[in-house]
């Protein structure tokens, strides 16, 4: 059976290629750790991909800002229909419509049992934690494809309770694989609660998901900062205040909004490709957002940091940043008793609750992030437009199941 997929073809390029149809064994290929080659996956399921989204984390690789090898099949945001299950799968059934957490987790190790599914100890020989189609994550094939293998299916997959309802709300539910839980994780770990004032750095899809989540958690005011006016307009469209960081330090604009130059909670949805503020907005300065958030967060507050930081960045502005070493004012954080939460969002901690919020019409995440479905063969165009700052969340539709409902 044919299986088309989106692959990284070198800095600035992606291609739609033909790859093997999945089997219940991990085979060699670009980015696959040798220790994973031949790994049996009888606990897995093969999915017909209903929707798979282009993520800002994918863009870091496509820009050549990681050590991703050419030929790597991309895609960690996956929603699909189960078409085959391995011999060890008991509960997930053929025909189920499911959300796939971008974290690959075994459900058996100490971390998984403690709910730390973003740092599973058994799926990636390189380090704790794994994801589909991502650099240094063990080599599990990405889901920007027609079909994909998901290991530990009974543990990983979130089965939607009603097929027709799921397909009707697919543009919202597709966000459960990553950006909605990731944004929620950022807002939640920043301490957002009823009445909080919240600043979200970054108006890309994760930032908009964090802003949506802060509203869902009861924030009194949500402020979103970015350089991109189109993306800031998207944030304003669902009730956020906005800050254009190209016009100066965020704290001055925050003071104009709140009357004080600080917020209770802050979220970094930018990551390691951050740029300066004010006159320096065009220049890359990877520690800018973290240092800014420490300055504007009230003493005793917290920073949620879902924005990606890496240990290998060939395109970094200096030698230290190439290894993930940034000039962070930790003294500021210490003096203000600030708390920090970093790392992969443990999607399984949140996705069922957020599914319920979607199914019961408590939130419209697809509208807030401007979800835009496109065919799989238009992925290169989608990557290009997203890289240029389009205020859209591109949803790839390999089998036309999304477009038929949109």
């Amino acid at each position: 059976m044919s299986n088309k997929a989106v692959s990284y073809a070198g800095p600035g390029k992606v291609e739609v290629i033909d790859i093997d149809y999945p089997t219940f064994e991990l085979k060699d290929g670009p980015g696959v750790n040798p220790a994973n080659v031949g790994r049996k996956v009888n606990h897995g399921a093969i999915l017909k991909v209903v929707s798979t989204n282009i993520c800002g984390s994918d863009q870091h690789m496509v820009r050549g800002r990681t050590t991703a090898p050419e030929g790597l099949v991309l895609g960690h945001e996956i929603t699909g229909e189960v078409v085959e299950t391995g011999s060890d799968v008991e509960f997930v059934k053929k025909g189920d419509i499911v959300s796939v957490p971008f974290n690959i987790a075994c459900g058996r190790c100490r971390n998984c049992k403690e709910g730390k599914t973003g740092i599973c100890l058994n799926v990636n020989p390189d380090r704790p934690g794994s994801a589909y189609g991502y650099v240094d994550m063990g080599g599990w094939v990405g889901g920007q494809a027609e079909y994909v293998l998901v290991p530990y299916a009974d543990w990983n997959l979130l089965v939607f309770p009603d097929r027709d309802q799921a397909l009707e709300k697919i543009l919202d539910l597709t966000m459960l694989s990553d950006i909605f839980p990731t944004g929620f994780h950022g807002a939640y770990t920043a301490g957002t609660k009823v009445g909080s004032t919240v600043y979200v750095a970054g108006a890309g899809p994760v930032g908009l998901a964090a802003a949506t989540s802060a509203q869902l958690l009861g924030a009194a005011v949500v402020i979103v900062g970015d350089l991109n006016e189109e993306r800031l307009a998207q944030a304003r469209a669902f009730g956020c205040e906005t800050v254009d960081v190209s016009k100066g330090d965020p704290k001055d604009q925050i003071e104009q909004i709140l009357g004080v130059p600080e917020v209770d909670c802050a979220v970094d949805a930018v990551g390691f490709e951050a740029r300066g503020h004010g006159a320096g907005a065009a220049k890359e300065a990877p520690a800018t957002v973290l240092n800014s958030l420490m300055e504007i967060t009230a003493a005793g507050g917290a920073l949620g940091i879902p924005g990606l930081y890496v240990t290998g960045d060939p395109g970094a502005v200096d030698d230290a940043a190439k290894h993930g070493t940034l000039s962070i004012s930790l003294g500021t954080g210490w003096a203000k008793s600030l708390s920090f939460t970093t790392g992969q969002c443990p999607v399984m901690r949140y996705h069922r609750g957020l599914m319920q919020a979607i199914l019961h019409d408590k939130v419209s995440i697809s509208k807030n992030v401007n979800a835009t479905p496109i065919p799989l063969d238009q992925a290169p165009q989608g990557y290009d437009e997203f890289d240029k700052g389009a205020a859209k969340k591109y949803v790839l539709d390999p089998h036309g199941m999304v477009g038929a409902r949109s």
Side-chain angles (χ1 to χ4, degrees):
M1 190 177 296
S2 67
N3 189 20
K4 293 189 180 300
V6 181
S7 75
Y8 171 59
K13 295 189 295 182
V14 298
E15 295 177 344
V16 178
I17 63 172
D18 291 310
I19 65 171
D20 291 338
Y21 185 83
T23 66
F24 295 106
E25 179 179 318
L26 191 56
K27 295 185 170 62
D28 199 5
V32 179
N33 187 294
N36 263 350
V37 175
R39 188 168 182 164
K40 303 299 182 184
V41 193
N42 295 325
H43 44 67
I46 295 172
L47 306 186
K48 176 182 179 180
V49 177
V50 174
S51 60
T52 175
N53 316 324
I54 296 175
C55 180
S57 298
D58 298 321
Q59 286 285 20
H60 293 306
M61 290 188 290
V62 173
R63 292 186 190 116
R65 296 299 298 270
T66 72
T67 56
E70 293 186 16
L72 183 74
V73 174
L74 301 168
H76 56 271
E77 300 190 13
I78 309 163
T79 306
E81 177 183 0
V82 177
V83 293
E84 189 176 352
T85 57
S87 58
D88 293 343
V89 176
E90 291 188 73
F91 308 114
V92 170
K93 304 298 183 188
K94 183 178 178 180
D96 285 342
I97 305 295
V98 297
S99 179
V100 184
F102 80 90
N103 327 105
I104 302 174
C106 71
R108 295 150 166 79
C109 71
R110 171 183 175 177
N111 285 349
C112 284
K113 289 180 179 181
E114 292 178 355
K116 301 172 184 175
T117 55
I119 44 173
C120 174
L121 300 173
N122 288 332
V123 289
N124 182 2
D126 288 320
R127 64 184 71 179
S130 189
Y132 303 88
Y134 212 82
V135 60
D136 294 333
M137 289 294 181
W140 299 93
V141 177
Q144 287 177 12
E146 293 177 304
Y147 297 91
V148 68
L149 171 68
V150 174
Y152 303 102
D154 281 329
W155 168 252
N156 282 304
L157 295 178
L158 175 68
V159 178
F160 299 136
D162 181 273
R163 178 188 176 89
D164 289 339
Q165 183 188 34
L167 292 174
E168 191 66 32
K169 292 181 174 287
I170 195 64
L171 274 182
D172 289 299
L173 295 172
T174 192
M175 305 305 164
L176 291 174
S177 58
D178 182 357
I179 68 160
F180 198 8
T182 293
F184 191 91
H185 183 61
Y188 181 79
T189 57
T192 305
K193 57 187 178 183
V194 173
S196 295
T197 56
V198 183
Y199 177 72
V200 179
V206 169
L208 297 176
T212 300
S213 300
Q215 293 175 337
L216 198 58
L217 287 164
V221 183
V222 180
I223 305 169
V224 179
D226 204 292
L227 303 162
N228 182 321
E229 175 51 37
E230 186 182 358
R231 289 181 171 180
L232 291 175
Q234 185 64 31
R236 289 192 294 271
F238 61 94
C240 299
E241 301 285 346
T242 58
V243 162
D244 184 342
V245 298
S246 70
K247 296 180 179 178
D249 196 308
K251 70 177 182 181
D252 299 325
Q253 297 175 68
I254 288 170
E255 185 171 21
Q256 293 173 13
I257 295 167
L258 297 177
V260 292
E262 65 180 20
V263 292
D264 301 320
C265 317
V267 180
D268 175 3
V270 177
F272 73 103
E273 288 192 65
R275 298 186 179 276
H277 295 157
K283 296 180 180 178
E284 192 168 307
T288 298
V289 170
L290 290 172
N291 286 330
S292 172
L293 295 189
M294 284 190 278
E295 184 177 2
I296 65 177
T297 303
L303 276 61
I305 310 174
L308 176 68
Y309 289 87
V310 296
T311 56
D313 175 9
V317 293
D318 56 49
D319 288 338
K322 287 181 180 178
H323 304 286
T325 303
L326 309 181
S327 298
I328 297 170
S329 180
L330 189 59
T332 300
W334 191 94
K336 296 177 73 174
S337 295
L338 300 177
S339 300
F340 304 79
T341 301
T342 67
Q344 285 188 37
C345 163
V347 169
M348 293 175 71
R349 192 176 298 174
Y350 308 109
H351 65 173
R352 186 183 183 279
L354 295 176
M355 174 190 75
Q356 291 289 85
I358 290 169
L359 295 180
H360 294 282
D361 299 318
K362 298 300 181 185
V363 66
S364 180
I365 184 66
S366 64
K367 180 180 179 182
N368 290 3
V369 301
N370 195 16
T372 304
I374 59 174
L376 188 72
D377 61 9
Q378 290 182 20
Q381 179 184 342
Y383 269 95
D384 182 60
E385 292 177 3
F386 187 44
D387 190 51
K388 291 176 180 175
K392 297 177 179 180
K393 175 66 172 177
Y394 286 103
V395 178
L396 302 180
D397 183 11
H399 296 279
M401 297 176 74
V402 178
R405 299 276 179 159
S406 300

